[in-house]
Amino acid sequence: MIRVTRRYRFAASHRLHSSELSGAANRDLYGKCNNPYGHGHDYVLDVTLEGPLDGATGRVCNPATFDSLVTESVLRDFDHKNLNEDVPEFAAAVPTSENLTSAIEARLRDSWDTAFPAGWPRLRAVRIQETKRNSFEKIR
Amino acid sequence: MIRVTRRYRFAASHRLHSSELSGAANRDLYGKCNNPYGHGHDYVLDVTLEGPLDGATGRVCNPATFDSLVTESVLRDFDHKNLNEDVPEFAAAVPTSENLTSAIEARLRDSWDTAFPAGWPRLRAVRIQETKRNSFEKIR
Amino acid sequence: MIRVTRRYRFAASHRLHSSELSGAANRDLYGKCNNPYGHGHDYVLDVTLEGPLDGATGRVCNPATFDSLVTESVLRDFDHKNLNEDVPEFAAAVPTSENLTSAIEARLRDSWDTAFPAGWPRLRAVRIQETKRNSFEKIR
Amino acid sequence: MIRVTRRYRFAASHRLHSSELSGAANRDLYGKCNNPYGHGHDYVLDVTLEGPLDGATGRVCNPATFDSLVTESVLRDFDHKNLNEDVPEFAAAVPTSENLTSAIEARLRDSWDTAFPAGWPRLRAVRIQETKRNSFEKIR
Amino acid sequence: MIRVTRRYRFAASHRLHSSELSGAANRDLYGKCNNPYGHGHDYVLDVTLEGPLDGATGRVCNPATFDSLVTESVLRDFDHKNLNEDVPEFAAAVPTSENLTSAIEARLRDSWDTAFPAGWPRLRAVRIQETKRNSFEKIR
Amino acid sequence: MIRVTRRYRFAASHRLHSSELSGAANRDLYGKCNNPYGHGHDYVLDVTLEGPLDGATGRVCNPATFDSLVTESVLRDFDHKNLNEDVPEFAAAVPTSENLTSAIEARLRDSWDTAFPAGWPRLRAVRIQETKRNSFEKIR
C-alpha cells in the first residue's frame, strides 16, 4: 500500500462573521478577519489517497483522473471565488478554515467513493494550508 | 553600502474590473479574476533599503523603525482588507499587482523621504509577490 | 474531528556536550556541534491539536488562545536564548533536538491539559525542525 | 518515543514505458512522461525513524550512521543516474514514483533491520517528493 | 516602469559530456554529471519583463500573452525532454545550466522582440534554477 | 556574460552588544538580541559570480573551485561557531548581519581576486539571509 499526495492551490476571499453573534462579539472573536468587505488567501490543498500498486502501470491512481476529480468537485467552485457569496456550503456556515476543510473533504469523499466503488484508491486525508503559519487536516 | 531587505505579508481580496471597459471586455481581459464577488491572495511584500553602515550600531536601519514605517504606511491599511473597497488608491484604479506595487512604493517612498530627509537609508526597491508564480517590482 | 497545526519559529543557540563523556568522546560523538562556544539555529515549531468543531464559531481552538499558550509556555523562554544557559531543562540534559522536542512537548502537554481539562482540543503532535534537513516529532 | 526525519535529495532521469503495453497505450497512459529519450527530476527523499531516546547521548540515532545507511543503500545508486538504465529494480518495472518509493523503502528496511537487529531505531516511513506537486509515502 | 517576473517549471534530463575532451577529462571535469545514461532536474525558469503600466488595464503585459510566448518558445520543446537528444541547441554544445540559460534567453529575446516591435514590454532577465543550490542568470 | 549564484548554509550563534554603549542602551537598541548568553541562526549565504562562458566546458566557473573557495574562506571559520568568540572580525565589531555581510564579502573578494587575477569570473554580490524575514546584500 502506497500513499499518494497531490498538491493544488486556489485563491479565494472570505469574511468571518457569525450570524448567531452580535457585531461586537464577531469583532472580538474574529478580529481583523471580521472586516466587512472581506480579505483573501492563496489556499494550498493537499489530497492524500492510499491504495495498492497496479502491477501493469506502477501507479496507485492515474494522475489525470486524480486531477480531474479534484478540479470538478472543488477547484472549479472555489478558485478565484468569494467563499461567502459563491459557495453554497457557506450560505449559513462561517468560512473558517476548519469549516472549509470539512466542506472540501465531504465533496472529495463523495467523488472518490463514487468513482471507485470497489474502495481503492481510497481518500485518506485532506489538508488545507491557509497561510504559511497554519494548516487544517481531516483524516479518514 | 549595504542593501537590507525585510519581508512582510498581508492577506487581501480584490476584483479586477475596469470601469472603462464593457462587461464582456472585462471578462475577456481579466478572466476568472473578474469574478463579481472577488477573490484573494496572501501577498508577500519585500522592501529593500540601501545605506551606509552606522559604525556604532553596525546597522543600516533600526529594524524597529523599518517595521514601524511599513506597518503604518502600508500594512495597517492593506492587511485583511478588500483592496477595491477599503483602499483609496483603488477607488478608481484597477487593483492589479502592477498598480498595487506602484501604490505601495509611492507610500513607502514618501514615508522614507520624510523620516530620513538626509537621504540615508534610501528606499531602493519594492517587490510584491502575488502568488508563487508571479512577482512585481519597482526599482528606484 | 479536525486537526489544526500552527507554526512558530524561535532562534536559539546551543552546544552539544555530555558531562558523562570525556572531551574526546564528546568531539567524536557530536563533531562540530561540540564547538566550545556553541552555535545556533532558527528552529521551526509545529504544534498540532485535534478536536471537534465548535458549531457557533466554526473553530477547533481560538487562535489567540493557541498562540498565547505556546508563547507563554515555550517561546518566551526559548526564543533568542542560549538553551544550555537559559533553559532549566538543559542544566543537565544535552540540548539535542530530540531532548528539545521532549522538553517542549512536556511543557505544551501541561499547558493544554490545564487549559482544557475537558480534553478538547487535545495536543496531538509537536514537531521541531532544526534545519531544512532534519525534523523531530513527538506524537501523543 | 521520538520520530526523527532526515531529508536527502537526488537528481535522476527516467522514462515511463511499460513493455506490457503497446506504444499507443503507453503514450495514452503516461503522456509526456513517455518521451523516448526520458526526462528528469530532483527527487526529495524523507526517511523517518522512530525510537527511544538514548539517555547518555540524547539521540534516537547517530546522524552519521543515519546518513551513511541512506547513502550506501540508496543515494550511491540513484543520485545522478538514469533509473531505467542504471538501477536493477527498474530493468523490468516502470520507474513511476510509486515503484520508486517501494524500491527505496525495501532497500532501507533491509539496511535498518540489519544494522539494528534489536529493533530500535525502527524505520517508520519513506516519502518521495517527485515535484512540488506530488509525493508518495510508504508507512511501516 | 514596473518589472514583472513569472515563474515556470520544466523537468528535463541531460548528460554533461564534451566531445572535445577525452573520457577521462570529461569524468574529471563533470564528475557524476558525466554518468553515461544521464540524470535529470526540475528546472525553475524565472522570466522578467520591464515596461510602463497600461493605464486602462493596469498591466505591463497580458499574462496570457506572457505564458503563451514562454510556452511556445521554450516549454513545449524543453519540458519532459532529454536536452542532449531532443533540443537542437545541444546537438553540439554541452547542456550545462550556463548554456541552457543562454539558449533559453536567446529564444525568449527573439519571441519578445518579434511580438513587441515597439520595444515594451522588454525582456530584462532570464534566470534558471537547476537545483535549490544554484542558479544562473542572463541580464539584458 | 552569465551570472552564477551558489547557495550555502551555516549555523552560528551571536550576541548583539556594543562595547561603546551602556547596558541599558544595548538592551534598548538590540532588544532580545542582546540576551547575555546569545542565540543563533541558520544563515543562508548566496554568492554570485559573473563571467563569460568557457566554450569548451560550457561553464563560468568550475563548481568544485567555487565551493572550495567559499568553504576555505568562509564556511570553515563560520559554520557551527559562535561569531563573537570564534571569528576575529567580531572581536571588536558587533556581529549584526550587516557587519557579517561586509566581513564575508571582504573575505570572498580577496579569495576571488587572488584565484582569478585576470578578472573573470568576478565576484558580483554576496547576500546573507539571517531569517526568512530579512536579508542583507553587498553588491560590487
Side-chain angles (χ1 to χ4, degrees), chain A residues 1-9 46 50 53-63 67, chain D residues 16 18 20-21 28-30 33 94 96-99 101-102 132-139:
Chain A
M1 302 289 283
I2 295 274
R3 290 181 176 226
V4 180
T5 300
R6 287 179 78 81
R7 171 162 287 192
Y8 305 89
R9 294 173 186 277
D46 289 323
E50 186 176 45
L53 277 176
D54 176 307
T57 66
R59 279 186 168 153
V60 163
C61 182
N62 186 318
D67 289 354
Chain D
L16 301 189
S18 168
E20 301 178 29
L21 302 169
D28 186 51
L29 178 64
Y30 295 120
C33 299
V94 183
T96 59
S97 290
E98 285 93 333
N99 279 335
T101 305
S102 284
K132 292 255 178 194
R133 288 201 48 216
N134 55 18
S135 64
F136 303 83
E137 189 173 32
K138 185 145 190 186
I139 297 172

Side-chain angles (χ1 to χ4, degrees), chain A residues 16 20 23 35 46 49 51 54 58 62 64 66 68 88 113-114 120 123 133 137:
Chain A
L16 301 189
E20 302 178 27
N35 172 43
D46 289 323
L49 304 184
D54 176 307
N62 186 318
F66 200 140
S68 154
D113 291 353
T114 305
W120 301 112
L123 184 71
R133 288 199 50 216
E137 189 174 31

Side-chain angles (χ1 to χ4, degrees), chain F residues 6-75:
Chain F
R6 287 179 78 81
R7 173 163 285 191
Y8 305 88
R9 294 175 185 277
F10 62 93
S13 57
H14 71 162
R15 182 201 182 194
L16 300 190
H17 184 90
S18 168
S19 57
E20 300 177 29
L21 301 170
S22 70
N26 269 294
R27 281 190 295 279
D28 187 51
L29 179 64
Y30 295 120
K32 58 189 178 178
C33 299
N34 185 240
N35 171 44
Y37 298 109
H39 63 283
H41 296 291
D42 295 295
Y43 293 94
V44 176
L45 166 64
D46 288 323
V47 180
T48 301
L49 305 185
E50 187 176 44
L53 277 178
D54 177 308
T57 66
R59 278 186 167 152
V60 164
C61 183
N62 186 318
T65 307
F66 200 140
D67 290 354
S68 152
L69 286 172
V70 176
T71 300
E72 280 167 35
S73 62
V74 178
L75 300 182

Side-chain angles (χ1 to χ4, degrees), chain B residues 5-102:
Chain B
T5 299
R6 287 178 79 81
R7 172 162 286 193
Y8 305 89
R9 293 173 186 278
F10 61 94
S13 57
H14 70 163
R15 183 202 182 193
L16 300 188
H17 184 89
S18 169
S19 56
E20 302 178 26
L21 301 170
S22 70
N26 269 294
R27 281 191 293 279
D28 187 50
L29 180 62
Y30 296 120
K32 57 188 179 179
C33 300
N34 185 239
N35 172 44
Y37 297 109
H39 64 283
H41 296 292
D42 294 295
Y43 292 95
V44 177
L45 166 63
D46 289 323
V47 180
T48 300
L49 305 184
E50 186 177 45
L53 275 177
D54 176 308
T57 66
R59 279 185 167 153
V60 164
C61 182
N62 186 317
T65 306
F66 200 141
D67 289 354
S68 153
L69 285 172
V70 176
T71 300
E72 280 167 35
S73 61
V74 178
L75 300 182
R76 205 177 45 192
D77 290 351
F78 289 70
D79 186 28
H80 281 73
K81 299 291 185 189
N82 179 313
L83 299 179
N84 304 63
E85 301 292 336
D86 291 316
V87 180
E89 280 93 333
F90 303 113
V94 183
T96 59
S97 289
E98 285 92 334
N99 279 335
L100 183 61
T101 305
S102 284

Side-chain angles (χ1 to χ4, degrees), chain E residues 64-82:
Chain E
T65 307
F66 199 140
D67 289 354
S68 153
L69 285 172
V70 175
T71 300
E72 280 167 36
S73 62
V74 179
L75 300 181
R76 204 177 45 194
D77 290 352
F78 288 71
D79 187 29
H80 281 74
K81 299 292 185 186
N82 179 312

Side-chain angles (χ1 to χ4, degrees), chain A residues 9-16 30 33 39-46 83 95-101 127-137, chain B residues 9-11 40-43 80, chain C residues 4-6 58-59 63:
Chain A
R9 294 173 186 277
F10 61 93
S13 58
H14 71 162
R15 183 202 182 194
L16 301 189
Y30 296 121
C33 300
H39 63 283
H41 296 291
D42 295 295
Y43 293 94
V44 177
L45 167 63
D46 289 323
L83 300 179
T96 58
S97 289
E98 285 92 334
N99 279 335
L100 183 61
T101 305
R127 198 173 76 105
I128 292 280
Q129 220 179 304
E130 188 191 68
T131 70
K132 292 256 177 194
R133 288 199 50 216
N134 55 18
S135 64
F136 302 84
E137 189 174 31
Chain B
R9 293 173 186 278
F10 61 94
H41 296 292
D42 294 295
Y43 292 95
H80 281 73
Chain C
V4 180
T5 300
R6 287 179 78 81
R59 279 186 168 151

